[in-house]
Amino acid sequence: MQEATVTALRAAIYMCPADLKILTFLGTLGPLTAARLAEALDVNTTYVAQRVLILLERGLIERTDVAIRPSASVVRPGYRITDNFQTNLAALAEGFDTSVIDAMTAR
């Protein structure tokens, strides 16, 4: 197994449910702002900022610009899943029972 895959696996194993939810939202909805993540998680932005810092340090997400209104080219700072983590996650998901992830990320 490649070292990057092992690192991503270790990082994914040791995280709280909110981290899994953040990764799920970013993985399914694409790049999001901290405010949008807070709204989706029904928590305050301070809590999201704390969780995002941990995910950034682990290399699971990265900073990016997020289009607020594409027609007006308005962007805000936001976050997205790193390419490396997304690739490793896709490889892990092949043949994996997704009901486990759904149960882990359910409210």
Side-chain angles (χ1 to χ4, degrees):
M1 192 177 284
Q2 294 179 346
E3 183 63 32
T5 303
V6 172
T7 301
L9 283 171
R10 285 185 182 145
I13 290 169
Y14 303 107
M15 65 178 65
C16 76
D19 295 346
L20 292 173
K21 288 181 182 180
I22 289 170
L23 291 172
T24 300
F25 285 127
L26 293 176
T28 56
L29 301 175
L32 296 170
T33 63
R36 179 65 182 102
L37 283 168
E39 180 183 318
L41 292 167
D42 196 26
V43 297
N44 64 46
T45 53
T46 302
Y47 180 74
V48 168
Q50 292 169 346
R51 301 313 314 162
V52 160
L53 282 175
I54 292 167
L55 295 172
L56 284 166
E57 289 172 1
R58 292 181 175 179
L60 301 176
I61 64 173
E62 60 192 5
R63 289 182 172 89
T64 189
D65 288 334
V66 178
I68 302 299
R69 285 186 271 151
S71 60
S73 300
V74 177
V75 296
R76 296 280 187 265
Y79 307 95
R80 70 179 198 94
I81 291 178
T82 62
D83 292 337
N84 184 43
F85 181 71
Q86 195 162 11
T87 300
N88 291 330
L89 187 61
L92 290 172
E94 288 182 22
F96 187 76
D97 181 4
T98 57
S99 64
V100 174
I101 293 175
D102 294 339
M104 291 170 56
T105 59
R107 284 187 167 198

